[in-house]
Amino acid sequence: TDEWGGSYENRSRLPKEIVKKVRRACGKDFIIIYRLSMLDLVEDGSSWEEVVELAKDIEKAGASIINTGIGWHEARVPTIATSVPRGGFA
């Protein structure tokens, strides 16, 4: 692999670099919201320890808010319930 793939350290490099560069370009008053999957539901996906480490690293890189969720578009486990009838909140 190259410097962006393979190990956790390499895989986490891209999001950290993006947040750092956005922070640098936009300044300290710009709000950066980073979306983080706390449980990706993908076989051999990120461990809990890796998720926590990434969250801490993203904060250090300059994110203002970390927005969390579960699941991933590639996950085989459905995470969106479709049991609410149309107009249920109308």
Side-chain angles (χ1 to χ4, degrees):
T1 69
D2 61 14
E3 65 181 315
W4 304 101
S7 70
Y8 166 77
E9 182 180 338
N10 287 355
R11 294 189 325 269
S12 65
R13 183 173 286 118
L14 180 64
K16 292 186 288 190
E17 287 299 314
I18 289 171
V19 172
K20 283 179 194 175
K21 290 185 181 193
V22 170
R23 174 56 64 216
R24 196 174 307 128
C26 296
K28 65 181 179 77
D29 294 329
F30 185 80
I31 296 173
I32 298 173
I33 302 173
Y34 184 88
R35 175 74 172 175
L36 178 64
S37 180
M38 300 299 290
L39 178 65
D40 58 21
L41 301 172
V42 176
E43 189 174 336
D44 297 322
S46 299
S47 69
W48 175 249
E49 292 77 17
E50 290 170 338
V51 171
V52 171
E53 184 176 343
L54 181 57
K56 290 176 180 180
D57 288 346
I58 291 296
E59 180 183 24
K60 285 179 199 169
S64 311
I65 299 168
I66 297 177
N67 175 276
T68 63
I70 64 164
W72 193 247
H73 64 280
E74 297 166 337
R76 299 292 180 236
V77 179
T79 58
I80 299 173
T82 58
S83 60
V84 177
R86 289 186 178 273
F89 295 105

